Amino acid sequence: MAETELAEDKALAWTVKVWRGDAAGGGFAEYAVPARANQTVLDIVTHIQRELDPSLAYRFACRVGMCGSCAMEVNGRARWTCRTHASKVVTEGGTLELRPLANLPVIRDLATDMAPFFDKWAKAGGRFQPKDAKDGEVPADFAVVPPASKKRQEADAGIECIGCGVCYASCDIVAWNPDYLGPAALNRAWTLVNDVRDGARRGRLDAVAGDAGCHSCHSTQSCTERCPKNLDPSSAIAGLKRSIFWRFLEPGGDR
Amino acid sequence: MRGQVHLWAAQRVTAALLAVAVLVHLVTILLAVRGGLTAGEIIGRLSGSETWLLFYAVFALSAGLHAAIGLRNVGAEWLGLRGRRADLAWLGVGLLTALFGIRAAWGLYAA
């Protein structure tokens, strides 16, 4: 029964346009793949690489939405290919278009260089700096942060980010201003600003201020709309703007 | 960096001022046109009034600065106009726009 179904499905083919190339440039190549009812976009990419063209470069690891490494542009929209059912995104004409993530340099084909993305996490002060433990020493005791406290909830709201880059690829401001830190890095900074154990608030707010930081955000919310984890970087960025604005009004706060 | 935060804050503050100023402006228009609008009526209301002069001066200054800061962003993002020279040019645009408005308000005050 299952075999018959598969055989029938194989008679139907989808046309997948895959961007092939490298940093110097490239273009689309077309592949015909079986139109199986139950497959993800990542399954299709793997099919192309294993059965049709072994030279195709792409990136994945966990296949189950935990690692965030398989993000690509599917029909012009950044998504996790491992959590995207092909049947839900294929066009009526049976076509799919796959490109590497936008706003990042391409290494080859569907694999982008994520270095600029993570460099910006560092620039945004994305590293936790314990208040009670100088120079990386281990604190004497566990810090108790009540789960119901407002700060803890603000921090928890953004903590599940796995750094897939979907928000970064979906952000117009990143496209217009290559220096802009982007939604993921700013979301991380806001998480740490709300972490009561952290001692680097001032420096971090300085790092995320200005034209390359939170103040360039137009709150168009593509990041929030497209985040596969349903996080809300747009609100995190608004929180950073608010914090910096109130600090700016404090006496001596603007130093 | 600090300057950029100041620009952002200035745009929010001028937006708040403009929200009130535009409302006052529109209500004034609605009231003023009842029964016909004449130059004499306008001058009668504004001439010698420090309150109206101050109101329109603040209004014009807010509008000029608010628009110039917004145009600075549009210029940077869509046209790639960045840096000190672009900033000074936008400051000039903002102050010039404000000056036109303030000059008109002064003209009516002094009329």
Side-chain angles (χ1 to χ4, degrees):
Chain A
M1 166 79 190
E3 271 177 28
T4 332
E5 251 177 31
L6 195 63
E8 276 172 10
D9 286 341
K10 270 192 172 170
L12 274 170
W14 285 335
T15 306
V16 186
K17 286 168 74 181
V18 180
W19 194 88
R20 304 294 308 267
D22 53 26
F28 284 102
E30 279 193 12
Y31 302 93
V33 302
R36 295 192 178 112
N38 204 358
Q39 62 183 344
T40 65
V41 174
L42 182 63
D43 291 334
I44 288 180
V45 177
T46 301
H47 174 86
I48 293 171
Q49 201 251 8
R50 289 196 183 159
E51 311 291 337
L52 306 175
D53 189 345
S55 70
L56 177 67
Y58 68 111
R59 192 187 281 127
F60 76 99
C62 76
R63 301 171 292 118
V64 289
M66 289 172 68
C67 73
S69 59
C70 69
M72 299 168 200
E73 305 271 336
V74 182
N75 292 346
R77 187 183 166 129
R79 350 178 50 122
W80 289 350
T81 52
C82 73
R83 301 299 286 168
T84 303
H85 276 281
S87 58
K88 294 209 171 134
V89 290
V90 72
T91 63
E92 276 185 28
T95 63
L96 275 176
E97 186 192 285
L98 304 179
R99 297 178 63 98
L101 278 184
N103 297 338
L104 287 163
V106 175
I107 297 173
R108 194 157 67 86
D109 302 340
L110 299 170
T112 50
D113 180 2
M114 302 292 283
F117 173 70
F118 288 114
D119 287 347
K120 286 179 181 176
W121 285 52
K123 257 192 207 161
R127 194 177 59 169
F128 172 58
Q129 299 207 338
K131 205 187 295 185
D132 311 326
K134 306 282 180 292
D135 304 324
E137 74 190 62
V138 178
D141 204 353
F142 289 109
V144 178
V145 187
S149 64
K150 189 169 178 280
K151 285 242 168 187
R152 170 69 181 266
Q153 287 180 346
E154 290 267 26
D156 281 353
I159 203 71
E160 294 289 342
C161 175
I162 60 173
C164 65
V166 164
C167 59
Y168 190 81
S170 306
C171 177
D172 286 333
I173 319 299
V174 177
W176 292 328
N177 180 6
D179 292 333
Y180 180 55
L181 293 169
L186 293 170
N187 177 70
R188 171 65 182 161
W190 178 239
T191 299
L192 289 172
V193 164
N194 285 295
D195 192 328
V196 293
R197 304 165 304 161
D198 184 271
R201 177 190 166 90
R202 175 163 290 252
R204 188 169 295 112
L205 288 179
D206 286 342
V208 299
D211 287 347
C214 62
H215 293 102
S216 276
C217 172
H218 294 300
S219 308
T220 45
Q221 304 186 41
S222 297
C223 51
T224 297
E225 165 75 20
R226 302 213 173 148
C227 174
K229 304 277 290 184
N230 288 324
L231 304 184
D232 188 3
S234 198
S235 294
I237 295 168
L240 289 172
K241 285 178 182 170
R242 238 178 1 253
S243 297
I244 292 169
F245 185 69
W246 291 120
R247 186 183 69 159
F248 167 76
L249 293 183
E250 282 166 18
D254 185 36
R255 274 201 299 265
Chain B
M1 208 78 86
R2 268 178 59 185
Q4 294 163 3
V5 178
H6 288 178
L7 285 179
W8 183 89
Q11 204 183 22
R12 266 56 190 178
V13 170
T14 52
L17 288 171
L18 284 172
V20 178
V22 167
L23 200 67
V24 171
H25 185 58
L26 289 176
V27 169
T28 309
I29 290 172
L30 289 177
L31 294 178
V33 294
R34 285 152 68 118
L37 188 65
T38 62
E41 191 197 0
I42 295 172
I43 291 170
R45 184 169 59 249
L46 299 175
S47 182
S49 165
E50 279 85 14
T51 314
W52 280 117
L53 175 65
L54 184 71
F55 170 76
Y56 280 114
V58 170
F59 191 174
L61 192 62
S62 296
L65 293 179
H66 186 85
I69 297 169
L71 287 171
R72 175 183 176 270
N73 290 338
V74 175
E77 287 172 359
W78 289 7
L79 306 173
L81 297 173
R82 292 192 171 88
R84 195 167 173 74
R85 278 170 63 187
D87 285 352
L88 288 174
W90 288 124
L91 181 68
V93 168
L95 291 179
L96 201 63
T97 317
L99 202 66
F100 286 140
I102 293 169
R103 199 188 65 155
W106 177 259
L108 286 163
Y109 170 77

